[in-house]
Amino acid sequence: MRPFLIGVFTVLCGSAATKAQDVYLSVPESNIFNRSEFTSVPTRVMTNANRTNWDYAFLGLLPTAPTFTSVSGPNFTHSSSSLTLPGSALLWQLESMGGQMPSTGFSGYLPGFQSFSTSAVKWFEPPSISLGGGFNRGNINFIFKIPASQFSANAFRAGNYSMDITQNYNDFTPRNFKTVLVIPSAIKWVANSLTKYIEISSLNDYRSTSTRVWDLGSTEIANTVDFNFWAKAATNVQFTSSKGVPGTRNIASIKLGSNGSSLTTKALSSDFQNFSPANFSVAAGNRNSFIPQLYVSAEDFKNFFFEAGTYTFELNFNASSTDNSINSLQNTAVQLKVLPLSEITIPSSGRNVNFNFNTAAHYTDGQSQMIPNQITLSNNENFELYVKSDENYFKKGGLQTSINSNILQIGMDGSSVNVPLSKTPQKILFNGTPVLDRALNVRYTISPAGAQSLVGQENTTYSVNVYYSFTAI
């Protein structure tokens, strides 16, 4: 007899683990950021392979309504943080069973949109008797909705918010599932001024000792992730004078900040800098609002932005997620226009210049006077200063005399130029550069020859008006 083996075979039996059919609802960023109602397409929540009728008890007269119950609490919970959304954020309603709405027959009805609760919530009211009708086999679809008011009231952070739901019909599968709100990672500029125009039309702006402040208008950024606010500008401000001459100014003379604590104030540079003192977080309504501002010190404003012309530069902004995976760029073009401005002032103490001829030397030697700080002038263009009289002759008691105004010569301290006074404007200051509140000493002279022409004139007072004016060059 040949030996034989008896094999022992072990068969392991068990149930294969199956993943529940969870309901994922991807919420578009446009609905979140625009705060507009979100409505899903018909979405399969359960499948019914066998049933065509509702459960009834007590002689088939009392229906068992199908229900949903939250078994994880009243809120949707974020997958990677402690943040939640209220159950009322999501509404739902039956759309079809097996491709059509179940029969409402005798007093059955479809409830309106409602939210999940820790208590059982009916999603359909079957007819009151079993003869009222049933439903088709197949997918059980629902419509989901997030009202616009929920986007305004809550913070929707990127990631998944879930709630565990159980339902009470054994033949509907799955019995337990998660409803998951999928929020995308996104940053979007909602409001920002693309241009900023600033006009300077008064010299007093340059006399102020206060820092110049210009706001750039309301900026609003929508976000589902935390972000930082970065900014830069070109190295130089481009300048074109009122006469068309180009030039530049260093951008570092301009600082960027905000009207509150939203931004840290820093000098602009050609490299991106983070102006956020802290991250801009995801807030209720998914919006962050603030007003960026530009600052120029009084000294820099006077030194670098006094000359008449146009100063332009572009601000480059970047709302960047804290992990730098999302960058949302925006630009603002800034134009500062300084109008041609000029001013000549003569203090009341220097408005009268008197020559007294009461000695022989006055007539033989002539006279000269230097009036200190008689004129204060301001001009933000290159200029020349002119002087003239209102008449070619002195007046006596308002009447013209024979004394020519050209006996009086006028010049500036530090200059050898003396011009005879006449109705025709005469240049007394050449190639003046832009200046603010420059005080000038004015020299008035009646030469010996001019003084000799006064011999024999009546002893009285003679006068002539003197005018000073600019010409831009």
Side-chain angles (χ1 to χ4, degrees):
M1 178 179 294
R2 299 178 64 183
F4 63 93
L5 296 176
I6 300 176
V8 179
F9 297 87
T10 302
V11 178
L12 300 178
C13 299
S15 59
T18 58
K19 188 178 186 300
Q21 175 191 309
D22 295 333
V23 178
Y24 283 83
L25 300 170
S26 295
V27 184
E29 65 180 78
S30 58
N31 293 92
I32 300 172
F33 292 162
N34 296 331
R35 299 167 179 170
S36 59
E37 182 174 279
F38 163 72
T39 302
S40 74
V41 298
T43 302
R44 184 182 68 178
V45 173
M46 297 170 289
T47 299
N48 164 37
N50 302 310
R51 298 185 64 94
T52 58
N53 289 96
W54 304 105
D55 281 340
Y56 284 86
F58 190 65
L59 302 178
L61 298 178
L62 298 178
T64 300
T67 63
F68 287 141
T69 305
S70 170
V71 293
S72 59
N75 299 319
F76 289 90
T77 303
H78 196 274
S79 58
S80 59
S81 72
S82 60
L83 297 176
T84 62
L85 288 172
S88 57
L90 182 70
L91 305 179
W92 45 263
Q93 185 182 49
L94 177 67
E95 188 270 338
S96 64
M97 298 181 71
Q100 68 181 44
M101 187 62 67
S103 171
T104 53
F106 299 94
S107 301
Y109 70 88
L110 173 69
F113 278 95
Q114 50 196 338
S115 59
F116 294 121
S117 172
T118 53
S119 300
V121 180
K122 296 179 184 178
W123 51 264
F124 189 79
E125 184 64 61
S128 58
I129 59 176
S130 59
L131 298 178
F135 45 83
N136 293 340
R137 300 182 182 92
N139 291 336
I140 303 175
N141 293 338
F142 283 74
I143 295 289
F144 293 88
K145 181 186 295 185
I146 299 178
S149 59
Q150 293 296 326
F151 290 120
S152 298
N154 296 292
F156 288 75
R157 178 175 285 276
N160 294 348
Y161 291 85
S162 65
M163 181 181 285
D164 295 332
I165 305 299
T166 187
Q167 56 90 12
N168 64 332
Y169 266 63
N170 288 325
D171 291 327
F172 296 162
T173 57
R175 278 293 303 271
N176 301 286
F177 59 90
K178 292 181 181 293
T179 300
V180 183
L181 302 180
V182 181
I183 309 301
S185 298
I187 301 173
K188 180 183 178 182
W189 292 76
V190 178
N192 180 64
S193 177
L194 300 180
T195 60
K196 177 63 178 180
Y197 176 76
I198 305 163
E199 186 174 281
I200 306 300
S201 58
S202 173
L203 288 168
N204 288 331
D205 288 341
Y206 297 95
R207 295 181 178 119
S208 172
T209 58
S210 301
T211 296
R212 300 295 301 174
V213 181
W214 301 294
D215 74 66
L216 298 177
S218 179
T219 291
E220 192 167 22
I221 301 174
N223 60 303
T224 61
V225 293
D226 295 347
F227 70 91
N228 288 312
F229 186 86
W230 297 72
K232 70 172 185 175
T235 303
N236 291 317
V237 177
Q238 298 302 310
F239 172 65
T240 302
S241 75
S242 56
K243 303 303 179 184
V245 179
T248 60
R249 302 290 187 271
N250 193 322
I251 194 66
S253 62
I254 301 174
K255 294 181 179 180
L256 176 68
S258 68
N259 64 328
S261 59
S262 298
L263 301 182
T264 299
T265 301
K266 298 180 184 179
L268 288 167
S269 76
S270 57
D271 296 320
F272 268 117
Q273 300 179 86
N274 185 1
F275 282 79
S276 309
N279 298 336
F280 285 90
S281 61
V282 180
N286 289 84
R287 303 273 183 95
N288 277 277
S289 300
F290 55 96
I291 299 177
Q293 291 181 328
L294 297 176
Y295 306 91
V296 180
S297 70
E299 194 66 20
D300 284 348
F301 186 56
K302 183 170 62 177
N303 290 338
F304 302 133
F305 301 97
F306 178 68
E307 189 173 351
T310 303
Y311 304 79
T312 59
F313 61 96
E314 186 171 72
L315 292 166
N316 307 128
F317 298 135
N318 182 15
S320 178
S321 60
T322 53
D323 63 0
N324 297 317
S325 64
I326 302 174
N327 293 287
S328 186
L329 302 174
Q330 187 70 284
N331 296 332
T332 295
V334 180
Q335 182 181 91
L336 170 65
K337 186 172 184 179
V338 179
L339 301 180
L341 304 170
S342 60
E343 180 182 274
I344 297 175
T345 59
I346 300 176
S348 57
S349 59
R351 292 184 182 274
N352 296 318
V353 180
N354 299 314
F355 285 89
N356 295 313
F357 286 85
N358 50 26
T359 69
H362 289 160
Y363 289 97
T364 57
D365 300 337
Q367 296 187 53
S368 182
Q369 296 187 43
M370 184 73 74
I371 309 300
N373 302 322
Q374 186 187 32
I375 295 176
T376 300
L377 58 85
S378 298
N379 199 317
N380 64 354
E381 297 179 292
N382 292 332
F383 66 93
E384 296 173 329
L385 184 65
Y386 287 76
V387 66
K388 72 168 189 173
S389 62
D390 60 342
E391 299 289 347
N392 282 327
Y393 296 91
F394 280 83
K395 290 182 178 179
K396 178 186 69 174
L399 300 177
Q400 181 177 303
T401 68
S402 61
I403 303 174
N404 200 303
S405 61
N406 64 11
I407 70 168
L408 179 62
Q409 298 177 357
I410 299 178
M412 294 288 114
D413 187 18
S415 171
S416 60
V417 175
N418 287 302
V419 300
L421 189 62
S422 74
K423 285 185 67 175
T424 302
Q426 304 291 313
K427 190 189 303 184
I428 58 173
L429 195 153
F430 299 76
N431 300 319
T433 56
V435 67
L436 179 67
D437 296 333
R438 176 183 175 185
L440 296 177
N441 302 328
V442 184
R443 181 177 59 249
Y444 296 87
T445 302
I446 297 178
S447 67
Q452 285 294 312
S453 68
L454 299 176
V455 176
Q457 295 290 340
E458 180 184 354
N459 292 332
T460 188
T461 299
Y462 301 88
S463 64
V464 67
N465 292 322
V466 180
Y467 298 94
Y468 296 93
S469 63
F470 290 117
T471 296
I473 56 174

